[in-house]
Structures are given as C-alpha cells and as structure tokens.
Amino acid sequence: RPVISELSVLNQWRGFLLPSKHFLISLSYTNGQSVVMEINNKLPVVLLNGQEFLTGISPIMVDSRMLVPMRQVFDAVGITVHWDNQTKSGLAVKDGRQVSFSIDSTEIKINGQTGALPLSPRLVNNQTYIPISLLRDGFGLTVLWDGANRTADIKTN
C-alpha cells in the first residue's frame, strides 16, 4: 500500500510474490489504464556519461521500462522544456529538435512528425516522469541499458 498510495489508482490491484523475491503489482489507474509494477530491492539507476547524477528523486520502473524525472534529466542533458500546466503537455527543445508530449499519452511529435513512445509520460507525486526512450527517440541521444543492474547510461559526448 505505501508504494501505490501516491498514485491515482482505483481500489483494484493484486500483488504476486515471485520466487526471486520480487513482488509484482497489477493495478488500474483512475483513467482506465492498467499497469504491472515490479517491486524489488534493486533500485533503478541513471548515469550520465558513466556517472550517477540524479539526487533526491529516483527513476521508476513500469512494465520493465524506465521512467525518469523530466526536469532533472532534461536539465542535465541541455534540453529546454516549455510546460503547459493546463494541458499537462510539454514542448522540449534541443539542437533544432522539437519534441512535444503529453501526460498519459504515448503519442509524441518530433519536429512535427508523429511518433510513439512505448510508455506514456506520467505524474507521480507531482513530478513529471518520462520514458527514458524519449531521449533516444526524440533527441538521438545514446542510452545504454543494463537490465541485470537496472542501469541506464545516457551518453552526451
């Protein structure tokens, strides 16, 4: 319960303890989307050019995909974001690329061309989280994923 208490979740969820001692929670959000979350003792880590840089706000894993706190990551890699609080959408800009996205939507626009994310951006504890793949797909950054260690290394050089 403490893990999901801050999420906009209906009172419909189930938990499963796996032999690996990981715990899976299947739940439904109030907007009708459902998700499977994994809880284990190995927190995901984000590196920037091989160095850990996030402080205070951890990335999260949803459906085996990493979501990162938007502001901290965008600031670290030099992406400017213009956020519209009314529509819960953002326009991110770097090196002539413009990427627009919205909370709870997998659709993105890259310089006007429609694309899709594997997972939608979302609000968690009043913090906007984006799939780390938005950095790769939207801005062409290299993101190296180490699934065994749950580590993503964003390369900017």
Side-chain angles (χ1 to χ4, degrees):
R1 287 181 193 265
V3 171
I4 62 173
S5 66
E6 297 295 324
L7 300 175
S8 55
V9 174
L10 293 172
N11 196 18
Q12 300 174 5
W13 58 277
R14 294 195 189 282
F16 307 93
L17 182 61
L18 301 176
S20 63
K21 301 294 186 209
H22 294 199
F23 190 75
L24 296 180
I25 296 177
S26 171
L27 49 89
S28 296
Y29 287 105
T30 54
N31 68 3
Q33 287 184 313
S34 39
V35 69
V36 174
M37 299 177 90
E38 177 186 347
I39 301 171
N40 64 36
N41 62 353
K42 183 115 177 106
L43 294 176
V45 174
V46 177
L47 307 174
L48 181 62
N49 299 318
Q51 300 294 315
E52 190 170 353
F53 75 98
L54 289 178
T55 57
I57 301 174
S58 296
I60 59 174
M61 300 295 296
V62 176
D63 291 340
S64 299
R65 300 198 180 266
M66 181 181 278
L67 288 106
V68 295
M70 177 189 71
R71 293 268 180 201
Q72 289 79 355
V73 172
F74 279 2
D75 287 349
V77 299
I79 296 173
T80 303
V81 65
H82 306 282
W83 186 254
D84 183 335
N85 217 22
Q86 293 275 59
T87 61
K88 303 285 189 235
S89 62
L91 174 65
V93 180
K94 177 180 171 70
D95 298 333
R97 284 193 175 197
Q98 295 186 353
V99 179
S100 61
F101 58 94
S102 299
I103 297 297
D104 295 329
S105 173
T106 57
E107 182 179 290
I108 61 172
K109 290 203 183 219
I110 304 168
N111 291 337
Q113 300 280 23
T114 301
L117 295 169
L119 198 62
S120 63
R122 58 197 64 201
L123 290 174
V124 178
N125 296 330
N126 295 317
Q127 178 76 237
T128 300
Y129 279 80
I130 58 164
I132 200 161
S133 60
L134 184 118
L135 300 172
R136 180 194 64 227
D137 300 341
F139 295 99
L141 294 175
T142 299
V143 179
L144 303 176
W145 174 247
D146 177 352
N149 292 309
R150 299 169 63 105
T151 302
D153 192 355
I154 304 165
K155 301 294 186 182
T156 60
N157 46 23

